[in-house]
Amino acid sequence: MDNNRLLALGIPTYKRPDVAINAIQNALSTKIYDQIIISSNSNEIELDAYINNLKDEKITYHQQIKNLGMSHNYTKVIQLCDCKYLHIISDED
């Protein structure tokens, strides 16, 4: 954990690239998050392309090879967190 990084936003997602992209855009515009973590439980070409085009150092992106279920997806977000605090929102929020 990087002690200089205070707040992360975790976004576990499954087959909702448009909603995940909207959440990422909103998070970046608020400028309060030191890290934005996206864990996708599916292969989403649109989401992958969007994140790769951003090239934002705040973004940590993980894509599962296959759907491992909601619990594993949330766990992955927690494992990838490099901040003192983590706020998780569902792609349904």
Side-chain angles (χ1 to χ4, degrees):
M1 176 179 10
D2 183 345
N3 289 332
N4 295 322
R5 294 173 68 156
L6 190 62
L7 182 60
L9 175 65
I11 308 168
T13 186
Y14 177 68
K15 292 191 177 185
R16 291 186 182 92
D18 54 333
V19 176
I21 289 169
N22 188 43
I24 295 165
Q25 290 171 339
N26 288 335
L28 288 171
S29 72
T30 64
K31 300 180 183 185
I32 64 170
Y33 297 105
D34 297 307
Q35 181 183 21
I36 300 168
I37 307 159
I38 302 95
S39 179
S40 178
N41 233 355
S42 63
N43 183 7
E44 295 295 335
I45 296 168
E46 181 182 356
L47 179 60
D48 189 53
Y50 174 77
I51 291 170
N52 287 331
N53 285 332
L54 277 179
K55 297 177 183 158
D56 193 307
E57 292 180 4
K58 290 183 179 184
I59 295 179
T60 303
Y61 179 55
H62 177 78
Q63 190 176 73
Q64 312 290 353
I65 295 170
K66 63 180 183 174
N67 182 358
L68 299 176
M70 182 175 66
S71 296
H72 183 77
N73 210 19
Y74 273 73
T75 300
K76 193 61 173 176
V77 167
I78 294 166
Q79 290 171 345
L80 293 171
C81 183
D82 192 32
C83 294
K84 186 173 182 178
Y85 301 102
L86 173 61
H87 177 204
I88 299 178
I89 62 169
S90 167
D91 64 356
E92 295 175 346
D93 289 344

